[in-house]
Amino acid sequence: MRIDILTVLPEMLESPLNCSILKRAQVKGLCELVVHNLRDYSDNKYRKVDDYPFGGEAGDRKSTRLNSSHHTESR
């Protein structure tokens, strides 16, 4: 089973994904965990993935303007 994780902070997931049950499942070949950095798909020269708030509420949202060519090349 392959599990793809999209995140802005892939470094924070290195430790939890390489310990305990998840690590043993990967070693046994039961699952494959692939972490994708959203910033790698950004067309912005600053690798920005956040967009402006929408609807006047607090919080942020992710931009939908990501480079899809990087995704198709990595397959």
Side-chain angles (χ1 to χ4, degrees):
M1 169 186 356
R2 179 180 164 141
I3 301 171
D4 291 279
I5 301 171
L6 304 172
T7 181
V8 178
L9 302 168
E11 299 83 17
M12 290 187 66
L13 297 176
E14 287 178 14
S15 179
L17 295 178
N18 290 314
C19 295
S20 189
I21 296 171
L22 292 174
K23 179 64 175 180
R24 287 184 289 187
Q26 291 177 77
V27 169
K28 290 181 180 180
L30 298 174
C31 75
E32 176 186 4
L33 296 172
V34 181
V35 179
H36 302 275
N37 186 346
L38 281 175
R39 296 185 195 284
D40 291 342
Y41 300 94
S42 176
D43 288 335
N44 186 308
K45 72 177 184 177
Y46 301 108
R47 296 177 58 186
K48 179 181 171 186
V49 294
D50 298 326
D51 205 353
Y52 297 104
F54 180 75
E57 297 294 323
D60 70 355
R61 62 182 217 166
K62 300 301 168 217
S63 174
T64 58
R65 288 173 259 136
L66 298 175
N67 185 354
S68 62
S69 65
H70 182 79
H71 175 68
T72 55
E73 291 172 8
S74 65
R75 281 188 159 194

